Amino acid sequence: MGYDVSDYQKIYAPYGTVGDVDALIEACHARGMKLILDLVVNHTSIEHEWFKESRSSKTNAKRDWYIWKPARYNAHGQRIPPTNWRGYFAGPTWTWDEHTQEYYLHLYAPEQPDLNWESKECREAIYENTMQFWLVRGVDGFRIDTVNKYSKRTEYVDAPIIDPNSPCQPAPEMWCNGPRIHEFIHEMRMKALEPYGAVSVGELSNTPHPSQVLPYVSAAAQELDMVFEFSMIRLGTGSMFGPKYIYVPFTLPQLKAIVAKWQTFIEGTDGWTTVFCENHDNGRAVSRFGDCSTPQLWQASAKTLALWQATLTGTLFLYQGQEIGMTNMPATWGIEEYKDVESLNFYAEAVDSGDTKRIAKTMQGLRILARDHSRIPFQWDSSPNAGFTKEGIKTWMQVHDDYQEINAAKQIADPDSILSFYKKVLRLRKQYKDLFVFGRFRLLEAKDEAIFAYVKESRFTVLDAQQQQINGSNCNSRVRKERAVVVLNFSKENQKCPDVRSILGCDVEDTVRLLISTQHGDGDEEWTLEKATRPPALKPWEGRVYVNFNADVDV
C-alpha cells in the first residue's frame, strides 16, 4: 500500500506478502500493540485494474471512477489541458490519453490518476476493496493520505494567474476541503471504520484555520479521530507550488505561535489533536529545528526536541530514526543522490529556468527540506549498510555517511543517548498523562528569541493538606491544579531560566520539583528548589520540566 497503488489487496513483492502482514498483526496484538496502515485512496497507479478499465473506452462502466475531461484549444488552435492547475510535483495536473482522446486528472504524478469520489460505485469499492479487506484481517486503523482532497470543485475552472511566467497556476482551493468532503468522510467512517472500531488519522494539508480543522475531528461529526495539520512542519518552505524549495528562514516566535495555535484549538471542544515534528515528507527534525553544528549540540538539541514533543497535548507520533536523532543527508551529496520525484521535478524546473541563483537556492532548500532525508535507510548498527541489509547489496538510497556514529545499537548501550532519553521521557508522558497528554497548554514569553516555555495544567488538583503531610510535601494546603512548566533553551548560549516558582503559583516557602532535565541525571543536581531558590541558568539546548507537586523521578 504505497503511493502508487496498483493493487490494494497485495504487498509490493520486495517488501513481503499479505501473509507477512498477517504475521505482523498477530505479533503486535500478542504484545498489546495496535497496528495502523497507510491508506492512499485519493489516487491509484495507472497500473491499477480500475484505471486500465477506465481508460479502455469512454463507455466503460468504470470510466467515471476517474476524472476525465475533454481538451480545450487556445486562440492558435493548440490543444491545452481542461484547467491551468499546477500539481504538487511541479507541472500540470492533467495528462492526455491518446487512446480515448481526453485528459485525466492527477494532483500528483501522471502515474497517479485521481479517483472520482463523486461516483458512488467508486466509493463503495474503496470501502470494500481497500479498507474492509485489511480491517477484516485485524488491522486497527489507518493513517489516511491526502484526506481532504477527495471532493473537487466540479466546475473545473481556471485558477487565478499568480505566476505569469508559468502556464500552470497554484489551485489548492479547487480540491482541498471541497463541497462534499465532510459528507464523504462521514460516509467512510460509518461504512468502513465504525463497524470495526478502527482509528483514523487524516493528513490535512492546506487547511490553516482551526475553524476549518475542527469539523474533521469533532466527535459529534463522526468523521476522523484526529488529523495531521502541517503549519508547523512546513516552516521554512516557500510556496507549496512554485518556489517550495527556496528556503525561508523562520524565528522561534513564529514556531511558538503555530504550536500554541494548534495546542489550544481543541480546548472547550469535543475534538482531538496530534503531536509530531517529523514524517516521511520532510527533512529530519534535528536538522531543521535543532542544531547539528557539533556532535554535542546535535545530542543536546535532539533531546530537547524529544522533551518538547513528549510534553505537548495530543496523540504523539514519532517517525523512525527520530528516536536516535537521525540527521539530514550530508550537504556534500549532490542532486544525483536525491531520488524523490518531487525533489527532482522542482530541481529540473529550476534548471530549466536558466537562473543560476534559483538553481543554487533550490539545491540549498533541498538540503534542508527535501523528503529524501527521511527516506534513506534506517541506521541499525555500524556494520556495512548500517545493518539495514547485507554487505554488497545496493540500497534504494545511499546509507548516511555518519551511520557508524549515529545508529540504534550504539545508543541502546548508552544510558546517556538520545534513544535512552526518549525512553525516559515517554515513560514520564505515560505516568503523567493527564498533565502532558491531556493537559491545557499556555504559552509563556511568546516573543523570546531563545526560550520556548509553556505551562501544562492538569484537571487534577495538588494533594490536600492531610495527604501532603503524609507524603512529606512542603507545599501549603491551597487548592491548586497540578501544573508543569516546560522550559526549553533553543539556542547554543546559556540562558536565564524563567521564574518557575511564580509561574507555578508557589509561595517562597513552597518546594518546586524538577521532574526532568535533558542534561543531567538524577544524581547530578538538586531536584528541588527549596524556598526562595531560583533555578540555575539553562545550558545550551537544555530542556527542563518543573512541577508543583511531589513526583517520582525514578523513570
Side-chain angles (χ1 to χ4, degrees):
M1 297 184 72
Y3 295 91
D4 193 7
V5 182
S6 59
D7 190 330
Y8 286 108
Q9 298 185 0
K10 291 183 179 178
I11 300 297
Y12 183 46
Y15 296 159
T17 65
V18 171
D20 291 330
V21 178
D22 290 340
L24 177 61
I25 294 169
E26 182 180 357
C28 286
H29 290 174
R31 291 162 173 80
M33 299 169 65
K34 303 289 187 180
L35 177 67
I36 67 174
L37 297 184
D38 205 347
L39 179 71
V40 183
V41 289
N42 176 72
H43 49 266
T44 70
S45 168
I46 57 173
E47 299 301 324
H48 197 289
E49 288 301 319
W50 294 351
F51 187 72
K52 289 180 179 179
E53 289 189 49
S54 184
R55 78 185 312 180
S56 65
S57 76
K58 291 182 181 179
T59 59
N60 185 273
K62 289 185 174 64
R63 182 67 173 183
D64 72 343
W65 285 30
Y66 294 83
I67 299 169
W68 296 90
K69 296 294 175 185
R72 296 187 298 174
Y73 293 88
N74 61 20
H76 303 289
Q78 298 170 319
R79 186 184 71 223
I80 59 174
T83 69
N84 66 347
W85 301 351
R86 176 183 172 89
Y88 285 97
F89 293 162
T93 58
W94 299 94
T95 289
W96 178 251
D97 178 58
E98 192 65 34
H99 178 63
T100 58
Q101 295 288 293
E102 283 191 328
Y103 284 91
Y104 64 86
L105 179 72
H106 52 87
L107 300 185
Y108 295 90
E111 296 80 15
Q112 298 171 318
D114 278 40
L115 288 161
N116 180 19
W117 277 69
E118 297 290 329
S119 165
K120 186 178 187 338
E121 292 78 13
C122 179
R123 297 199 307 274
E124 293 292 341
I126 289 170
Y127 305 149
E128 180 179 352
N129 188 280
T130 73
M131 301 178 72
Q132 293 172 1
F133 174 83
W134 293 103
L135 291 168
V136 166
R137 305 187 87 87
V139 166
D140 300 292
F142 300 101
R143 174 264 186 193
I144 307 178
D145 187 67
T146 58
V147 75
N148 61 330
K149 298 174 184 175
Y150 303 156
S151 174
K152 278 74 172 177
R153 284 179 53 181
T154 55
E155 311 96 297
Y156 292 99
V157 296
D158 278 347
I161 296 176
I162 295 175
D163 181 1
N165 297 317
S166 173
C168 303
Q169 303 299 316
E173 70 278 8
M174 301 296 182
W175 59 73
C176 284
N177 310 310
R180 298 184 67 188
I181 190 62
H182 294 292
E183 172 193 346
F184 291 158
I185 297 178
H186 177 73
E187 180 185 83
M188 174 195 284
R189 178 168 183 144
M190 292 298 100
K191 290 192 173 184
L193 296 168
E194 195 71 20
Y196 299 90
V199 70
S200 58
V201 52
E203 182 190 42
L204 205 67
S205 63
N206 301 109
T207 311
H209 303 296
S211 60
Q212 296 174 295
V213 175
L214 191 58
Y216 288 97
V217 297
S218 165
Q222 294 184 302
E223 293 187 20
L224 301 168
D225 292 309
M226 61 196 107
V227 297
F228 294 125
E229 197 287 323
F230 293 130
S231 297
M232 190 276 290
I233 207 167
R234 297 296 193 206
L235 278 170
T237 61
S239 167
M240 288 302 295
F241 304 86
K244 177 178 180 179
Y245 288 106
I246 304 297
Y247 184 69
V248 180
F250 60 90
T251 65
L252 182 60
Q254 287 177 278
L255 172 66
K256 292 191 286 189
I258 292 174
V259 172
K261 176 181 178 179
W262 295 108
Q263 278 287 285
T264 58
F265 93 102
I266 59 169
E267 291 182 2
T269 76
D270 63 349
W272 190 235
T273 191
T274 58
V275 180
F276 69 105
C277 67
E278 192 167 310
N279 65 16
H280 65 296
D281 280 336
N282 292 275
R284 290 291 183 175
V286 70
S287 296
R288 298 180 60 207
F289 305 113
D291 189 337
C292 296
S293 59
T294 70
Q296 294 75 25
L297 291 174
W298 159 75
Q299 183 175 60
S301 62
K303 288 182 179 181
T304 290
L305 295 182
L307 187 60
W308 168 44
Q309 293 290 285
T311 53
L312 293 179
T313 296
T315 298
L316 174 61
F317 290 81
L318 300 178
Y319 183 68
Q320 54 88 3
Q322 182 179 344
E323 76 279 22
I324 61 171
M326 281 182 64
T327 62
N328 279 356
M329 292 153 44
T332 55
W333 288 12
I335 190 63
E336 68 277 0
E337 298 297 342
Y338 290 72
K339 309 300 183 185
D340 178 37
V341 61
E342 182 173 277
S343 300
L344 298 178
N345 285 357
F346 274 88
Y347 185 78
E349 192 173 61
V351 171
D352 290 343
S353 74
D355 185 338
T356 55
K357 288 186 178 179
R358 178 180 173 184
I359 296 170
K361 287 183 177 180
T362 299
M363 193 66 229
Q364 178 196 16
L366 288 170
R367 290 189 178 108
I368 301 169
L369 303 167
R371 308 193 305 178
D372 303 76
H373 300 298
S374 58
R375 302 180 181 193
I376 63 174
F378 183 81
Q379 292 149 215
W380 288 103
D381 56 39
S382 59
S383 66
N385 278 326
F388 185 85
T389 190
K390 296 177 182 178
E391 183 176 5
I393 295 177
K394 182 175 174 57
T395 54
W396 78 92
M397 292 184 72
Q398 186 173 329
V399 174
H400 200 292
D401 293 349
D402 293 339
Y403 75 90
Q404 292 184 324
E405 293 301 319
I406 303 175
N407 63 69
K410 184 176 182 179
Q411 294 197 23
I412 288 172
D414 180 4
D416 192 43
S417 69
I418 296 165
L419 178 60
S420 294
F421 184 79
Y422 262 102
K423 292 179 179 180
K424 183 174 184 177
V425 76
L426 290 176
R427 285 194 292 268
L428 277 178
R429 180 175 175 85
K430 291 181 68 175
Q431 184 176 354
Y432 300 104
K433 62 183 178 181
D434 200 76
L435 191 60
F436 298 129
V437 180
F438 301 105
R440 292 172 64 90
F441 175 98
R442 177 165 61 89
L443 181 66
L444 303 170
E445 303 294 339
K447 296 187 182 302
D448 194 296
E449 296 280 352
I451 298 295
F452 192 168
Y454 48 90
V455 174
K456 295 300 299 292
E457 183 177 272
S458 167
R459 58 181 172 167
F460 296 128
T461 57
V462 174
L463 300 174
D464 63 31
Q466 182 180 6
Q467 290 173 311
Q468 290 170 21
Q469 185 176 9
I470 292 171
N471 289 313
S473 170
N474 294 327
C475 287
N476 59 39
S477 60
R478 297 190 315 276
V479 176
R480 293 170 294 153
K481 292 288 184 69
E482 287 186 351
R483 289 179 180 169
V485 177
V486 182
V487 186
L488 311 170
N489 182 2
F490 268 58
S491 79
K492 60 176 66 177
E493 289 82 33
N494 289 340
Q495 298 290 339
K496 180 180 178 182
C497 186
D499 183 4
V500 295
R501 182 181 301 279
S502 62
I503 296 170
L504 287 170
C506 290
D507 291 337
V508 293
E509 297 298 322
D510 296 338
T511 296
V512 174
R513 190 82 176 179
L514 176 62
L515 186 65
I516 190 171
S517 168
T518 61
Q519 293 202 18
H520 57 76
D522 296 353
D524 294 339
E525 191 170 325
E526 289 296 324
W527 283 84
T528 57
L529 293 177
E530 300 291 348
K531 296 185 178 181
T533 307
R534 292 291 298 266
L538 291 155
K539 300 171 186 175
W541 281 102
E542 181 182 5
R544 299 177 194 159
V545 178
Y546 292 94
V547 295
N548 66 345
F549 57 88
N550 277 332
D552 178 11
V553 297
D554 185 18
V555 296

